[in-house]
Amino acid sequence: HADKMNSTYEMLKQTYGIDHLFLPPYSPFLNPIELSFCAIKSIVSGKPIDNREDLIREIEKAIPTVITATFSKNAFQHCQKFYQQCALCLPFTGKILDPTILGEHIMNQEFEGTPSVESTIQQAPSLLQITEVA
């Protein structure tokens, strides 16, 4: 399906200066919903569950306690920490939902001129505006 998107990618690049990047095949540390799933699972796993209905009920009870505005904001901020290293195709080590970040001095030293996470985040409002128009 990516081949069909090439004209869209080209239009975004030429019109708005927006480029696209594909995520690695499995990158839960870049996906805030994975942190939500992990938090819900940690709550539900401590509950006595005898059947499917119990499981569904416990998940439904856990969701509003876990997925709050504060949790969501923190989850997005947590994931944003990894964007620059991923965009530079640098390896990650450590835990799957909390990998080790290369030191800022290493990224700046070896990859000068690469857009920082901060500059990418500053562009976010214009990207949201474009999304709403499209």
Side-chain angles (χ1 to χ4, degrees):
H1 77 284
D3 294 338
K4 295 178 183 178
M5 294 298 297
N6 285 337
S7 62
T8 302
Y9 296 148
E10 189 60 34
M11 182 275 303
L12 288 171
K13 177 118 175 128
Q14 290 178 358
T15 306
Y16 302 106
I18 298 173
D19 206 352
H20 70 282
L21 296 173
F22 290 102
L23 295 175
Y26 183 64
S27 48
F29 55 92
L30 296 175
N31 189 348
I33 195 67
E34 294 289 347
L35 296 170
S36 301
F37 293 153
C38 182
I40 291 167
K41 183 179 176 183
S42 69
I43 291 173
V44 172
S45 65
K47 306 287 183 179
I49 296 174
D50 296 324
N51 54 48
R52 185 173 189 268
E53 289 76 25
D54 289 350
L55 176 61
I56 292 169
R57 185 173 49 256
E58 292 301 330
I59 291 171
E60 288 173 344
K61 284 175 23 184
I63 289 172
T65 63
V66 170
I67 305 178
T68 63
T70 301
F71 179 90
S72 298
K73 177 183 173 190
N74 291 340
F76 274 92
Q77 288 175 343
H78 174 80
C79 292
Q80 286 174 344
K81 296 186 304 187
F82 309 111
Y83 291 170
Q84 184 176 18
Q85 189 169 333
C86 184
L88 296 172
C89 298
L90 298 174
F92 288 92
T93 60
K95 297 178 183 174
I96 194 74
L97 286 178
D98 194 19
T100 303
I101 300 174
L102 292 178
E104 190 70 28
H105 64 283
I106 294 172
M107 286 195 278
N108 289 339
Q109 182 181 43
E110 295 183 24
F111 302 96
E112 265 183 46
T114 304
S116 67
V117 174
E118 290 77 21
S119 67
T120 304
I121 293 168
Q122 288 171 353
Q123 293 175 9
S126 63
L127 296 178
L128 292 173
Q129 184 178 19
I130 291 166
T131 304
E132 291 174 45
V133 171

